[in-house]
Amino acid sequence: MKSRTIAFCGVLTALALILSYVESLFPLPVGIPGIKLGLANLVVFLLLYIAGPWHAFAVSLARILIAGFAFGGMYSLLYSLSGGLLSFAGMVLLKRSGRFAPVTVSICGAVLHNVGQLVMAGLVLENTGVAVYLPPLLAAGVICGFVIGLLGELLRARVARAFRSPNASSEDNQ
Amino acid sequence: MLRQMKKQDYLLIAGILLAALLVFLFFGRKASGQAGAVRVQIGDEVYAVYPLDQDHEELLAGYDGGENLLVIKDGEAWISQADCPDRLCVRQGRISKKGQMILCLPHRIILTVISGEEEMDGISG
């Protein structure tokens, strides 16, 4: 990995951290836990399309671990980890299939993030009743993922220009 | 950007929304009926059931320590204070309709609004 790439990922990890912090200051007033815009996922989404899955994975994991230890507790960490990993796996698979638009990939990422968190909540509490939260979380995931996907598409060309280096610009022009 | 969306994109999104609707209909039926009480579960056990029509405050001790203050007032129940770091339970607001829940993960506390009568027996408030 080139030092330029490492530096770029570091900057984006910092950006993702700041976005999750800003987001935690302004929770959406809907009374359902876990509903948020998912601004940090914007960074993961961009990296997935600009740099590839491993960069996106590394930044996502670093963001979750640092945010968990810095702003949350053990349980918020557990929550975001399950959501983050499921979301990431889903986005990579959908993108790999080559059949879905980036906005759809973002929507599925957001939806799976919520599903992962809810499954973890169900496991920790040993209670299947948490499934009542599934419909609003799915719907919110579609809306938030759509917004993030559109933002990502708007930013993609610009961020790609900053990232551009010989070994990583191949996925930039699809 | 949206021009890239094809049939499979819309199908996938429609599938997600359909799943949401199905789960909603399934739980929506269970949630109908009179709300009468709030059930408090801590860990695996039902700790207490409080009627919603009696104002009440109770300091709940979490499963592995920690405290949440349950407040019942004017037919609504909510957690007004908690000593966990994220305080998601406080942010979940007030519940008053049957089926609504408040979860506290760190302390393994679940509040659920239930109809009341059938589960009041045998449990000391």
Side-chain angles (χ1 to χ4, degrees):
Chain A
M1 210 189 265
K2 290 194 169 180
S3 46
R4 182 192 169 89
T5 314
I6 296 171
F8 187 78
C9 286
V11 169
L12 284 191
T13 305
L15 179 63
L17 271 171
I18 290 189
L19 289 176
S20 20
Y21 178 65
V22 167
E23 203 165 49
S24 74
L25 293 179
F26 305 100
L28 297 178
V30 285
I32 293 169
I35 289 194
K36 52 184 178 181
L37 194 49
L39 281 172
N41 202 40
L42 178 60
V43 173
V44 180
F45 173 80
L46 280 170
L47 271 168
L48 185 63
Y49 275 92
I50 292 169
W54 291 112
H55 297 79
F57 182 75
V59 168
S60 177
L61 195 63
R63 199 272 307 173
I64 288 168
L65 291 178
I66 297 172
F69 286 123
F71 323 127
M74 219 252 307
Y75 282 88
S76 353
L77 182 65
L78 217 56
Y79 253 156
S80 357
L81 209 55
S82 55
L85 293 180
L86 191 65
S87 159
F88 178 79
M91 289 203 293
V92 169
L93 285 177
L94 277 191
K95 181 175 176 289
R96 277 262 173 102
S97 78
R99 301 177 61 185
F100 295 97
V103 171
T104 311
V105 172
S106 166
I107 287 175
C108 284
V111 167
L112 287 175
H113 199 107
N114 290 347
V115 170
Q117 293 196 331
L118 196 63
V119 168
M120 184 52 83
L123 288 176
V124 169
L125 295 169
E126 294 170 33
N127 187 307
T128 51
V130 295
V132 287
Y133 285 124
L134 195 57
L137 282 175
L138 288 178
V142 170
I143 297 167
C144 299
F146 181 74
V147 174
I148 293 295
L150 283 186
L151 276 175
E153 286 288 85
L154 286 172
L155 290 172
R156 203 162 107 191
R158 291 157 212 232
V159 180
R161 217 175 300 145
F163 180 71
R164 191 162 295 153
S165 66
N167 62 344
S169 56
S170 57
E171 292 187 83
D172 177 25
N173 47 12
Q174 46 174 252
Chain B
M1 294 175 291
L2 292 178
R3 258 176 280 133
Q4 294 174 13
M5 306 260 298
K6 297 201 187 78
K7 200 172 77 184
Q8 59 265 34
D9 293 288
Y10 293 113
L11 277 176
L12 191 64
I13 295 164
I16 295 167
L17 294 175
L18 187 69
L21 187 69
L22 287 177
V23 178
F24 177 74
L25 290 176
F26 180 72
F27 279 96
R29 248 185 318 148
K30 272 171 72 176
S32 63
Q34 274 294 303
V38 59
R39 182 181 61 207
V40 181
Q41 286 167 273
I42 301 176
D44 304 328
E45 295 183 1
V46 176
Y47 170 78
V49 176
Y50 302 106
L52 274 171
D53 54 8
Q54 289 171 27
D55 293 356
H56 187 80
E57 280 192 20
E58 180 86 14
L59 200 58
L60 305 172
Y63 190 73
D64 296 317
E67 286 173 339
N68 302 49
L69 184 61
L70 167 70
V71 179
I72 299 173
K73 198 162 189 270
D74 301 328
E76 293 179 317
W78 68 94
I79 301 282
S80 69
Q81 282 167 42
D83 58 4
C84 46
D86 40 24
R87 294 171 70 247
L88 286 171
C89 50
V90 179
R91 288 204 214 144
Q92 283 168 52
R94 303 176 176 213
I95 55 174
S96 59
K97 297 193 186 76
K98 194 181 168 192
Q100 286 186 316
M101 301 169 90
I102 293 179
L103 310 175
C104 169
L105 244 58
H107 301 160
R108 291 188 60 189
I109 294 174
I110 308 173
L111 308 180
T112 318
V113 179
I114 56 173
S115 58
E117 293 85 22
E118 76 272 23
E119 287 173 81
M120 292 292 280
D121 306 324
I123 299 158
S124 59

PDB file of all heavy atoms in Angstrom, chain A residues 91-105:
ATOM      1  N   MET A  91     -23.135  -4.548   0.951  1.00  0.00           N
ATOM      2  CA  MET A  91     -22.781  -3.574  -0.089  1.00  0.00           C
ATOM      3  C   MET A  91     -21.752  -4.149  -1.049  1.00  0.00           C
ATOM      4  O   MET A  91     -21.846  -3.965  -2.269  1.00  0.00           O
ATOM      5  CB  MET A  91     -22.251  -2.283   0.545  1.00  0.00           C
ATOM      6  CG  MET A  91     -23.330  -1.477   1.247  1.00  0.00           C
ATOM      7  SD  MET A  91     -22.930   0.273   1.420  1.00  0.00           S
ATOM      8  CE  MET A  91     -21.580   0.238   2.551  1.00  0.00           C
ATOM      9  N   VAL A  92     -20.761  -4.868  -0.495  1.00  0.00           N
ATOM     10  CA  VAL A  92     -19.738  -5.451  -1.361  1.00  0.00           C
ATOM     11  C   VAL A  92     -20.358  -6.473  -2.316  1.00  0.00           C
ATOM     12  O   VAL A  92     -20.091  -6.467  -3.522  1.00  0.00           O
ATOM     13  CB  VAL A  92     -18.626  -6.117  -0.512  1.00  0.00           C
ATOM     14  CG1 VAL A  92     -17.716  -6.953  -1.390  1.00  0.00           C
ATOM     15  CG2 VAL A  92     -17.821  -5.062   0.212  1.00  0.00           C
ATOM     16  N   LEU A  93     -21.233  -7.335  -1.775  1.00  0.00           N
ATOM     17  CA  LEU A  93     -21.852  -8.364  -2.619  1.00  0.00           C
ATOM     18  C   LEU A  93     -22.689  -7.734  -3.730  1.00  0.00           C
ATOM     19  O   LEU A  93     -22.608  -8.136  -4.891  1.00  0.00           O
ATOM     20  CB  LEU A  93     -22.723  -9.290  -1.768  1.00  0.00           C
ATOM     21  CG  LEU A  93     -21.945 -10.286  -0.906  1.00  0.00           C
ATOM     22  CD1 LEU A  93     -22.896 -11.104  -0.048  1.00  0.00           C
ATOM     23  CD2 LEU A  93     -21.093 -11.201  -1.777  1.00  0.00           C
ATOM     24  N   LEU A  94     -23.492  -6.722  -3.360  1.00  0.00           N
ATOM     25  CA  LEU A  94     -24.347  -6.085  -4.364  1.00  0.00           C
ATOM     26  C   LEU A  94     -23.516  -5.385  -5.432  1.00  0.00           C
ATOM     27  O   LEU A  94     -23.826  -5.444  -6.625  1.00  0.00           O
ATOM     28  CB  LEU A  94     -25.276  -5.067  -3.704  1.00  0.00           C
ATOM     29  CG  LEU A  94     -26.551  -5.598  -3.070  1.00  0.00           C
ATOM     30  CD1 LEU A  94     -27.462  -4.453  -2.718  1.00  0.00           C
ATOM     31  CD2 LEU A  94     -27.257  -6.555  -4.009  1.00  0.00           C
ATOM     32  N   LYS A  95     -22.452  -4.735  -4.999  1.00  0.00           N
ATOM     33  CA  LYS A  95     -21.620  -4.014  -5.962  1.00  0.00           C
ATOM     34  C   LYS A  95     -20.918  -5.009  -6.873  1.00  0.00           C
ATOM     35  O   LYS A  95     -20.860  -4.831  -8.085  1.00  0.00           O
ATOM     36  CB  LYS A  95     -20.585  -3.159  -5.228  1.00  0.00           C
ATOM     37  CG  LYS A  95     -19.704  -2.377  -6.169  1.00  0.00           C
ATOM     38  CD  LYS A  95     -18.768  -1.457  -5.439  1.00  0.00           C
ATOM     39  CE  LYS A  95     -17.837  -0.762  -6.419  1.00  0.00           C
ATOM     40  NZ  LYS A  95     -16.838  -1.684  -6.987  1.00  0.00           N
ATOM     41  N   ARG A  96     -20.387  -6.087  -6.286  1.00  0.00           N
ATOM     42  CA  ARG A  96     -19.712  -7.141  -7.047  1.00  0.00           C
ATOM     43  C   ARG A  96     -20.611  -7.726  -8.122  1.00  0.00           C
ATOM     44  O   ARG A  96     -20.144  -8.092  -9.196  1.00  0.00           O
ATOM     45  CB  ARG A  96     -19.294  -8.276  -6.103  1.00  0.00           C
ATOM     46  CG  ARG A  96     -17.991  -8.022  -5.384  1.00  0.00           C
ATOM     47  CD  ARG A  96     -16.862  -8.737  -6.099  1.00  0.00           C
ATOM     48  NE  ARG A  96     -15.579  -8.381  -5.522  1.00  0.00           N
ATOM     49  CZ  ARG A  96     -14.916  -9.174  -4.693  1.00  0.00           C
ATOM     50  NH1 ARG A  96     -15.428 -10.334  -4.349  1.00  0.00           N
ATOM     51  NH2 ARG A  96     -13.763  -8.801  -4.211  1.00  0.00           N
ATOM     52  N   SER A  97     -21.897  -7.875  -7.786  1.00  0.00           N
ATOM     53  CA  SER A  97     -22.809  -8.491  -8.745  1.00  0.00           C
ATOM     54  C   SER A  97     -22.901  -7.641 -10.008  1.00  0.00           C
ATOM     55  O   SER A  97     -23.236  -8.143 -11.077  1.00  0.00           O
ATOM     56  CB  SER A  97     -24.199  -8.652  -8.126  1.00  0.00           C
ATOM     57  OG  SER A  97     -24.880  -7.414  -8.144  1.00  0.00           O
ATOM     58  N   GLY A  98     -22.614  -6.362  -9.869  1.00  0.00           N
ATOM     59  CA  GLY A  98     -22.581  -5.486 -11.028  1.00  0.00           C
ATOM     60  C   GLY A  98     -23.941  -5.183 -11.620  1.00  0.00           C
ATOM     61  O   GLY A  98     -24.043  -4.612 -12.692  1.00  0.00           O
ATOM     62  N   ARG A  99     -24.988  -5.562 -10.907  1.00  0.00           N
ATOM     63  CA  ARG A  99     -26.321  -5.405 -11.489  1.00  0.00           C
ATOM     64  C   ARG A  99     -27.119  -4.277 -10.848  1.00  0.00           C
ATOM     65  O   ARG A  99     -28.243  -4.008 -11.253  1.00  0.00           O
ATOM     66  CB  ARG A  99     -27.103  -6.709 -11.359  1.00  0.00           C
ATOM     67  CG  ARG A  99     -26.405  -7.861 -12.052  1.00  0.00           C
ATOM     68  CD  ARG A  99     -27.149  -9.143 -11.865  1.00  0.00           C
ATOM     69  NE  ARG A  99     -28.488  -9.067 -12.423  1.00  0.00           N
ATOM     70  CZ  ARG A  99     -29.393 -10.055 -12.291  1.00  0.00           C
ATOM     71  NH1 ARG A  99     -29.086 -11.137 -11.625  1.00  0.00           N
ATOM     72  NH2 ARG A  99     -30.575  -9.928 -12.825  1.00  0.00           N
ATOM     73  N   PHE A 100     -26.560  -3.652  -9.844  1.00  0.00           N
ATOM     74  CA  PHE A 100     -27.347  -2.656  -9.125  1.00  0.00           C
ATOM     75  C   PHE A 100     -26.688  -1.276  -9.165  1.00  0.00           C
ATOM     76  O   PHE A 100     -25.468  -1.151  -9.154  1.00  0.00           O
ATOM     77  CB  PHE A 100     -27.545  -3.090  -7.675  1.00  0.00           C
ATOM     78  CG  PHE A 100     -28.369  -4.341  -7.550  1.00  0.00           C
ATOM     79  CD1 PHE A 100     -27.756  -5.573  -7.403  1.00  0.00           C
ATOM     80  CD2 PHE A 100     -29.752  -4.283  -7.628  1.00  0.00           C
ATOM     81  CE1 PHE A 100     -28.515  -6.738  -7.308  1.00  0.00           C
ATOM     82  CE2 PHE A 100     -30.508  -5.434  -7.536  1.00  0.00           C
ATOM     83  CZ  PHE A 100     -29.897  -6.663  -7.375  1.00  0.00           C
ATOM     84  N   ALA A 101     -27.523  -0.261  -9.216  1.00  0.00           N
ATOM     85  CA  ALA A 101     -27.040   1.113  -9.232  1.00  0.00           C
ATOM     86  C   ALA A 101     -26.429   1.444  -7.867  1.00  0.00           C
ATOM     87  O   ALA A 101     -26.834   0.878  -6.849  1.00  0.00           O
ATOM     88  CB  ALA A 101     -28.190   2.062  -9.538  1.00  0.00           C
ATOM     89  N   PRO A 102     -25.460   2.366  -7.832  1.00  0.00           N
ATOM     90  CA  PRO A 102     -24.836   2.748  -6.559  1.00  0.00           C
ATOM     91  C   PRO A 102     -25.850   3.170  -5.504  1.00  0.00           C
ATOM     92  O   PRO A 102     -25.677   2.851  -4.324  1.00  0.00           O
ATOM     93  CB  PRO A 102     -23.942   3.916  -6.963  1.00  0.00           C
ATOM     94  CG  PRO A 102     -23.613   3.682  -8.394  1.00  0.00           C
ATOM     95  CD  PRO A 102     -24.812   3.019  -8.985  1.00  0.00           C
ATOM     96  N   VAL A 103     -26.907   3.870  -5.906  1.00  0.00           N
ATOM     97  CA  VAL A 103     -27.903   4.312  -4.928  1.00  0.00           C
ATOM     98  C   VAL A 103     -28.549   3.101  -4.250  1.00  0.00           C
ATOM     99  O   VAL A 103     -28.772   3.095  -3.030  1.00  0.00           O
ATOM    100  CB  VAL A 103     -28.979   5.190  -5.612  1.00  0.00           C
ATOM    101  CG1 VAL A 103     -30.127   5.472  -4.665  1.00  0.00           C
ATOM    102  CG2 VAL A 103     -28.364   6.493  -6.087  1.00  0.00           C
ATOM    103  N   THR A 104     -28.805   2.052  -5.013  1.00  0.00           N
ATOM    104  CA  THR A 104     -29.390   0.839  -4.442  1.00  0.00           C
ATOM    105  C   THR A 104     -28.412   0.176  -3.473  1.00  0.00           C
ATOM    106  O   THR A 104     -28.809  -0.328  -2.419  1.00  0.00           O
ATOM    107  CB  THR A 104     -29.751  -0.154  -5.564  1.00  0.00           C
ATOM    108  OG1 THR A 104     -30.472   0.546  -6.561  1.00  0.00           O
ATOM    109  CG2 THR A 104     -30.592  -1.285  -5.041  1.00  0.00           C
ATOM    110  N   VAL A 105     -27.137   0.171  -3.836  1.00  0.00           N
ATOM    111  CA  VAL A 105     -26.118  -0.398  -2.952  1.00  0.00           C
ATOM    112  C   VAL A 105     -26.116   0.350  -1.622  1.00  0.00           C
ATOM    113  O   VAL A 105     -26.073  -0.255  -0.551  1.00  0.00           O
ATOM    114  CB  VAL A 105     -24.728  -0.331  -3.622  1.00  0.00           C
ATOM    115  CG1 VAL A 105     -23.633  -0.741  -2.644  1.00  0.00           C
ATOM    116  CG2 VAL A 105     -24.693  -1.218  -4.850  1.00  0.00           C
TER     117      VAL A 105
END
